[in-house]
Amino acid sequence: MLSISSELLEFLRLREGTVEVIDRAPPSDGQLEELVKEAMEREKSLVSGLRLGDDMKYAIDVGLTNASSGLLYPAEVAVRFFLERGSLCLIASRTTELYIKALRERAWHAMVDDGYIVRSGPEAVGRVKKLSGRKSLEGDAIFLAGKPVCEKHLKWPEYSKPIEELPLEKKYLKAALDSRKRKKGSAIRCAFCNREARYFTLPMIKAKCS
């Protein structure tokens, strides 16, 4: 059975960022590499058969190769890629097929660059709850975690939905109007200007590594 030294084990328990602790790493005798490879193979078996499982396996292989070569930032990017694909396996099955379309048509990266992102589950749920009173991201509710836009700033119509088609509740809209002291117009304003929003554009899931 493979084992690693107590000194190396203590190092692996550190919580600081990779760059902060890399110079404190003790020598490895090869046992750690074998353990990591075993763990990665187990992870790959767990994602087999998943919708984006091949993408996730690729990320595992690339991440391990980069980390073994001391390429810390590319290794982190591979981890983020893995987390994003894992999140999509779950969220696409509960919300909308448009996430898969965005990946396949390579709209994903352009939308991320445009700022149509959500970085965590609590962030998404918080946005949805604020507008609908619900704590669920099921179905079209996921759009409410995205950016509200007016006609002028509707850049991604195929990944957007009209506000009237989304699960908004009038009492929450009224409360928003009252709290903002607006006498007329919608409580929901375009993310790029102050015009009344007409659509919500789907947010892309952007993982962050700490």
Side-chain angles (χ1 to χ4, degrees):
M1 180 177 177
L2 293 173
S3 62
I4 58 177
S5 69
S6 58
E7 184 183 14
L8 189 51
L9 190 59
E10 286 302 312
F11 171 77
L12 294 174
R13 289 176 176 151
L14 293 174
R15 297 284 181 147
E16 295 101 316
T18 305
V19 175
E20 287 79 13
V21 303
I22 193 65
D23 292 333
R24 292 154 56 187
S28 173
D29 59 4
Q31 296 279 45
L32 176 61
E33 187 175 348
E34 291 302 315
L35 283 172
V36 170
K37 286 181 178 178
E38 283 187 7
M40 294 301 96
E41 288 303 317
R42 287 196 299 272
E43 290 296 317
K44 286 200 285 187
S45 68
L46 290 174
V47 303
S48 291
L50 293 183
R51 189 168 199 172
L52 299 172
D54 288 343
D55 289 353
M56 296 168 76
K57 288 180 184 179
Y58 175 76
I60 289 172
D61 290 335
V62 170
L64 181 57
T65 298
N66 286 332
S68 300
S69 302
L71 304 173
L72 303 183
Y73 180 71
E76 180 182 321
V77 170
V79 171
R80 188 161 58 240
F81 182 91
F82 176 87
L83 292 174
E84 288 170 356
R85 291 301 187 267
S87 297
L88 278 175
C89 282
L90 177 63
I91 202 165
S93 67
R94 295 183 176 182
T95 59
T96 173
E97 289 286 315
L98 288 177
Y99 278 116
I100 304 302
K101 179 182 177 183
L103 283 178
R104 300 308 182 209
E105 296 186 359
R106 291 181 171 81
W108 174 280
H109 305 287
M111 293 180 72
V112 167
D113 289 342
D114 284 344
Y116 294 93
I117 60 176
V118 63
R119 293 186 181 277
S120 70
E123 180 184 347
V125 171
R127 294 182 189 178
V128 171
K129 184 181 178 183
K130 181 178 179 181
L131 293 167
S132 71
R134 305 180 183 187
K135 295 182 180 179
S136 170
L137 298 178
E138 300 289 330
D140 285 347
I142 187 63
F143 281 88
L144 298 177
K147 284 187 182 295
V149 294
C150 63
E151 293 280 2
K152 178 181 178 181
H153 291 105
L154 178 62
K155 184 175 180 180
W156 300 95
E158 65 270 45
Y159 299 103
S160 302
K161 280 216 167 186
I163 284 178
E164 58 268 21
E165 294 182 15
L166 297 175
L168 289 163
E169 296 185 16
K170 290 183 180 178
K171 63 178 180 178
Y172 290 99
L173 282 176
K174 184 177 184 301
L177 278 167
D178 292 343
S179 65
R180 298 181 190 194
K181 298 180 180 179
R182 289 186 177 138
K183 294 182 179 179
K184 56 185 177 179
S186 172
I188 304 173
R189 298 288 173 174
C190 176
F192 301 98
C193 67
N194 199 40
R195 290 184 179 89
E196 181 179 345
R198 300 291 304 279
Y199 305 88
F200 270 91
T201 298
L202 190 67
M204 301 295 107
I205 292 104
K206 184 68 175 174
K208 58 181 177 180
C209 298
S210 56

Short mmCIF file of all heavy atoms in Angstrom, two decimals, residues 38-74:
data_model
loop_
_atom_site.label_atom_id
_atom_site.label_comp_id
_atom_site.label_asym_id
_atom_site.label_seq_id
_atom_site.Cartn_x
_atom_site.Cartn_y
_atom_site.Cartn_z
N GLU A 38 -3.56 7.64 -8.82
CA GLU A 38 -4.64 6.74 -8.43
C GLU A 38 -5.93 7.51 -8.19
O GLU A 38 -7.01 7.10 -8.62
CB GLU A 38 -4.26 5.98 -7.15
CG GLU A 38 -3.29 4.85 -7.35
CD GLU A 38 -3.10 4.04 -6.07
OE1 GLU A 38 -3.83 4.29 -5.09
OE2 GLU A 38 -2.23 3.17 -6.06
N ALA A 39 -5.80 8.65 -7.49
CA ALA A 39 -6.98 9.47 -7.21
C ALA A 39 -7.60 10.00 -8.49
O ALA A 39 -8.84 10.03 -8.63
CB ALA A 39 -6.60 10.62 -6.28
N MET A 40 -6.77 10.42 -9.44
CA MET A 40 -7.29 10.95 -10.69
C MET A 40 -8.01 9.88 -11.51
O MET A 40 -9.03 10.15 -12.15
CB MET A 40 -6.14 11.56 -11.51
CG MET A 40 -5.48 12.78 -10.91
SD MET A 40 -6.59 14.18 -10.62
CE MET A 40 -7.03 13.95 -8.89
N GLU A 41 -7.50 8.67 -11.46
CA GLU A 41 -8.16 7.58 -12.17
C GLU A 41 -9.53 7.28 -11.56
O GLU A 41 -10.50 7.00 -12.27
CB GLU A 41 -7.29 6.31 -12.16
CG GLU A 41 -6.06 6.39 -13.06
CD GLU A 41 -6.42 6.69 -14.51
OE1 GLU A 41 -7.40 6.09 -15.03
OE2 GLU A 41 -5.75 7.53 -15.14
N ARG A 42 -9.61 7.38 -10.23
CA ARG A 42 -10.91 7.18 -9.57
C ARG A 42 -11.88 8.27 -9.99
O ARG A 42 -13.06 8.02 -10.24
CB ARG A 42 -10.74 7.17 -8.05
CG ARG A 42 -10.10 5.91 -7.49
CD ARG A 42 -10.33 5.80 -6.00
NE ARG A 42 -9.75 6.90 -5.26
CZ ARG A 42 -8.50 6.92 -4.80
NH1 ARG A 42 -7.71 5.89 -5.03
NH2 ARG A 42 -8.06 7.96 -4.12
N GLU A 43 -11.38 9.51 -10.06
CA GLU A 43 -12.24 10.63 -10.47
C GLU A 43 -12.74 10.42 -11.90
O GLU A 43 -13.90 10.69 -12.21
CB GLU A 43 -11.46 11.95 -10.38
CG GLU A 43 -11.18 12.41 -8.97
CD GLU A 43 -12.46 12.71 -8.20
OE1 GLU A 43 -13.37 13.34 -8.77
OE2 GLU A 43 -12.54 12.31 -7.03
N LYS A 44 -11.86 9.96 -12.77
CA LYS A 44 -12.27 9.75 -14.16
C LYS A 44 -13.34 8.66 -14.27
O LYS A 44 -14.24 8.76 -15.10
CB LYS A 44 -11.05 9.41 -15.03
CG LYS A 44 -10.16 10.61 -15.30
CD LYS A 44 -9.26 10.42 -16.50
CE LYS A 44 -8.13 9.49 -16.19
NZ LYS A 44 -7.16 9.43 -17.32
N SER A 45 -13.24 7.65 -13.42
CA SER A 45 -14.26 6.59 -13.46
C SER A 45 -15.60 7.13 -12.97
O SER A 45 -16.66 6.69 -13.45
CB SER A 45 -13.82 5.40 -12.60
OG SER A 45 -13.80 5.73 -11.22
N LEU A 46 -15.58 8.08 -12.05
CA LEU A 46 -16.82 8.65 -11.53
C LEU A 46 -17.56 9.49 -12.57
O LEU A 46 -18.78 9.57 -12.54
CB LEU A 46 -16.53 9.51 -10.29
CG LEU A 46 -16.09 8.77 -9.03
CD1 LEU A 46 -15.70 9.77 -7.95
CD2 LEU A 46 -17.20 7.86 -8.53
N VAL A 47 -16.83 10.13 -13.47
CA VAL A 47 -17.48 10.99 -14.46
C VAL A 47 -17.80 10.25 -15.76
O VAL A 47 -18.42 10.81 -16.66
CB VAL A 47 -16.63 12.24 -14.78
CG1 VAL A 47 -16.35 13.02 -13.51
CG2 VAL A 47 -15.32 11.88 -15.47
N SER A 48 -17.39 9.00 -15.85
CA SER A 48 -17.71 8.22 -17.05
C SER A 48 -19.22 8.11 -17.22
O SER A 48 -19.94 7.81 -16.26
CB SER A 48 -17.11 6.81 -16.95
OG SER A 48 -15.71 6.86 -17.03
N GLY A 49 -19.67 8.38 -18.42
CA GLY A 49 -21.10 8.28 -18.69
C GLY A 49 -21.86 9.57 -18.47
O GLY A 49 -23.02 9.67 -18.87
N LEU A 50 -21.22 10.54 -17.82
CA LEU A 50 -21.89 11.84 -17.66
C LEU A 50 -21.94 12.56 -19.00
O LEU A 50 -21.14 12.31 -19.89
CB LEU A 50 -21.15 12.70 -16.63
CG LEU A 50 -21.17 12.22 -15.18
CD1 LEU A 50 -20.45 13.23 -14.29
CD2 LEU A 50 -22.58 12.00 -14.68
N ARG A 51 -22.86 13.48 -19.09
CA ARG A 51 -23.09 14.18 -20.35
C ARG A 51 -21.83 14.87 -20.87
O ARG A 51 -21.55 14.87 -22.05
CB ARG A 51 -24.20 15.20 -20.13
CG ARG A 51 -24.68 15.84 -21.37
CD ARG A 51 -25.94 16.60 -21.08
NE ARG A 51 -26.68 16.87 -22.27
CZ ARG A 51 -27.89 17.38 -22.29
NH1 ARG A 51 -28.48 17.65 -21.15
NH2 ARG A 51 -28.50 17.62 -23.41
N LEU A 52 -21.10 15.51 -19.98
CA LEU A 52 -19.86 16.19 -20.34
C LEU A 52 -18.66 15.48 -19.74
O LEU A 52 -17.63 16.08 -19.47
CB LEU A 52 -19.90 17.66 -19.89
CG LEU A 52 -21.04 18.49 -20.50
CD1 LEU A 52 -21.13 19.86 -19.84
CD2 LEU A 52 -20.85 18.65 -22.00
N GLY A 53 -18.82 14.18 -19.54
CA GLY A 53 -17.77 13.38 -18.90
C GLY A 53 -16.45 13.38 -19.65
O GLY A 53 -15.38 13.43 -19.04
N ASP A 54 -16.49 13.33 -20.97
CA ASP A 54 -15.25 13.33 -21.75
C ASP A 54 -14.49 14.64 -21.57
O ASP A 54 -13.26 14.64 -21.48
CB ASP A 54 -15.55 13.10 -23.24
CG ASP A 54 -15.98 11.67 -23.53
OD1 ASP A 54 -15.74 10.80 -22.67
OD2 ASP A 54 -16.58 11.44 -24.60
N ASP A 55 -15.23 15.75 -21.51
CA ASP A 55 -14.59 17.04 -21.25
C ASP A 55 -13.92 17.05 -19.88
O ASP A 55 -12.82 17.58 -19.71
CB ASP A 55 -15.62 18.17 -21.28
CG ASP A 55 -16.15 18.45 -22.68
OD1 ASP A 55 -15.61 17.86 -23.63
OD2 ASP A 55 -17.08 19.25 -22.82
N MET A 56 -14.59 16.45 -18.90
CA MET A 56 -14.07 16.43 -17.54
C MET A 56 -12.83 15.54 -17.43
O MET A 56 -11.86 15.87 -16.74
CB MET A 56 -15.16 15.99 -16.57
CG MET A 56 -16.34 16.95 -16.51
SD MET A 56 -17.78 16.30 -15.66
CE MET A 56 -17.24 16.47 -13.96
N LYS A 57 -12.83 14.42 -18.13
CA LYS A 57 -11.66 13.54 -18.15
C LYS A 57 -10.46 14.26 -18.77
O LYS A 57 -9.33 14.15 -18.30
CB LYS A 57 -11.97 12.27 -18.93
CG LYS A 57 -12.90 11.31 -18.24
CD LYS A 57 -13.13 10.09 -19.11
CE LYS A 57 -14.12 9.14 -18.51
NZ LYS A 57 -14.38 7.96 -19.37
N TYR A 58 -10.74 14.98 -19.83
CA TYR A 58 -9.68 15.74 -20.50
C TYR A 58 -9.08 16.77 -19.54
O TYR A 58 -7.86 16.94 -19.47
CB TYR A 58 -10.26 16.43 -21.73
CG TYR A 58 -9.29 17.34 -22.44
CD1 TYR A 58 -8.27 16.82 -23.24
CD2 TYR A 58 -9.38 18.72 -22.31
CE1 TYR A 58 -7.37 17.65 -23.88
CE2 TYR A 58 -8.49 19.56 -22.95
CZ TYR A 58 -7.48 19.02 -23.74
OH TYR A 58 -6.59 19.86 -24.36
N ALA A 59 -9.94 17.45 -18.78
CA ALA A 59 -9.46 18.45 -17.83
C ALA A 59 -8.60 17.82 -16.75
O ALA A 59 -7.59 18.40 -16.31
CB ALA A 59 -10.65 19.17 -17.20
N ILE A 60 -8.96 16.62 -16.30
CA ILE A 60 -8.17 15.91 -15.29
C ILE A 60 -6.78 15.61 -15.83
O ILE A 60 -5.76 15.85 -15.16
CB ILE A 60 -8.88 14.61 -14.86
CG1 ILE A 60 -10.12 14.95 -14.03
CG2 ILE A 60 -7.94 13.71 -14.07
CD1 ILE A 60 -11.00 13.75 -13.71
N ASP A 61 -6.71 15.08 -17.04
CA ASP A 61 -5.42 14.73 -17.64
C ASP A 61 -4.54 15.97 -17.85
O ASP A 61 -3.35 15.96 -17.53
CB ASP A 61 -5.62 14.00 -18.97
CG ASP A 61 -6.19 12.61 -18.78
OD1 ASP A 61 -5.99 12.04 -17.70
OD2 ASP A 61 -6.85 12.10 -19.71
N VAL A 62 -5.14 17.03 -18.39
CA VAL A 62 -4.38 18.25 -18.65
C VAL A 62 -3.92 18.88 -17.34
O VAL A 62 -2.77 19.33 -17.22
CB VAL A 62 -5.24 19.25 -19.46
CG1 VAL A 62 -4.56 20.62 -19.52
CG2 VAL A 62 -5.46 18.72 -20.87
N GLY A 63 -4.80 18.91 -16.35
CA GLY A 63 -4.44 19.50 -15.06
C GLY A 63 -3.31 18.76 -14.39
O GLY A 63 -2.38 19.38 -13.86
N LEU A 64 -3.34 17.44 -14.43
CA LEU A 64 -2.28 16.64 -13.81
C LEU A 64 -0.96 16.84 -14.54
O LEU A 64 0.10 16.98 -13.91
CB LEU A 64 -2.67 15.16 -13.81
CG LEU A 64 -1.67 14.20 -13.18
CD1 LEU A 64 -1.39 14.59 -11.74
CD2 LEU A 64 -2.20 12.76 -13.25
N THR A 65 -1.00 16.87 -15.86
CA THR A 65 0.22 17.08 -16.64
C THR A 65 0.84 18.44 -16.33
O THR A 65 2.05 18.55 -16.09
CB THR A 65 -0.08 17.00 -18.15
OG1 THR A 65 -0.57 15.69 -18.45
CG2 THR A 65 1.17 17.27 -18.97
N ASN A 66 0.01 19.47 -16.29
CA ASN A 66 0.53 20.81 -16.01
C ASN A 66 1.06 20.93 -14.59
O ASN A 66 2.11 21.54 -14.35
CB ASN A 66 -0.58 21.85 -16.24
CG ASN A 66 -0.86 22.08 -17.71
OD1 ASN A 66 0.01 21.90 -18.55
ND2 ASN A 66 -2.09 22.45 -18.03
N ALA A 67 0.32 20.37 -13.63
CA ALA A 67 0.77 20.45 -12.24
C ALA A 67 2.09 19.71 -12.05
O ALA A 67 2.99 20.19 -11.35
CB ALA A 67 -0.30 19.86 -11.31
N SER A 68 2.23 18.56 -12.69
CA SER A 68 3.47 17.78 -12.58
C SER A 68 4.65 18.51 -13.19
O SER A 68 5.80 18.31 -12.79
CB SER A 68 3.30 16.42 -13.26
OG SER A 68 2.26 15.67 -12.66
N SER A 69 4.36 19.39 -14.15
CA SER A 69 5.42 20.16 -14.81
C SER A 69 5.70 21.49 -14.12
O SER A 69 6.53 22.26 -14.58
CB SER A 69 5.03 20.42 -16.28
OG SER A 69 4.81 19.21 -16.97
N GLY A 70 4.96 21.75 -13.05
CA GLY A 70 5.15 23.01 -12.33
C GLY A 70 4.45 24.19 -12.96
O GLY A 70 4.71 25.34 -12.59
N LEU A 71 3.53 23.93 -13.89
CA LEU A 71 2.80 25.01 -14.55
C LEU A 71 1.52 25.28 -13.75
O LEU A 71 0.46 24.72 -14.01
CB LEU A 71 2.46 24.61 -15.99
CG LEU A 71 3.69 24.23 -16.85
CD1 LEU A 71 3.26 23.68 -18.20
CD2 LEU A 71 4.61 25.42 -17.02
N LEU A 72 1.65 26.13 -12.75
CA LEU A 72 0.59 26.28 -11.76
C LEU A 72 -0.67 26.93 -12.31
O LEU A 72 -1.78 26.47 -12.04
CB LEU A 72 1.12 27.10 -10.57
CG LEU A 72 2.37 26.54 -9.88
CD1 LEU A 72 2.74 27.39 -8.69
CD2 LEU A 72 2.15 25.09 -9.48
N TYR A 73 -0.51 28.01 -13.06
CA TYR A 73 -1.71 28.68 -13.56
C TYR A 73 -2.49 27.80 -14.56
O TYR A 73 -3.71 27.66 -14.44
CB TYR A 73 -1.36 30.03 -14.19
CG TYR A 73 -2.57 30.75 -14.72
CD1 TYR A 73 -3.52 31.30 -13.83
CD2 TYR A 73 -2.82 30.84 -16.08
CE1 TYR A 73 -4.65 31.93 -14.31
CE2 TYR A 73 -3.96 31.47 -16.56
CZ TYR A 73 -4.87 32.01 -15.66
OH TYR A 73 -6.00 32.62 -16.14
N PRO A 74 -1.83 27.19 -15.55
CA PRO A 74 -2.57 26.28 -16.44
C PRO A 74 -3.23 25.13 -15.69
O PRO A 74 -4.33 24.70 -16.07
CB PRO A 74 -1.49 25.77 -17.41
CG PRO A 74 -0.46 26.84 -17.41
CD PRO A 74 -0.43 27.36 -16.00
#
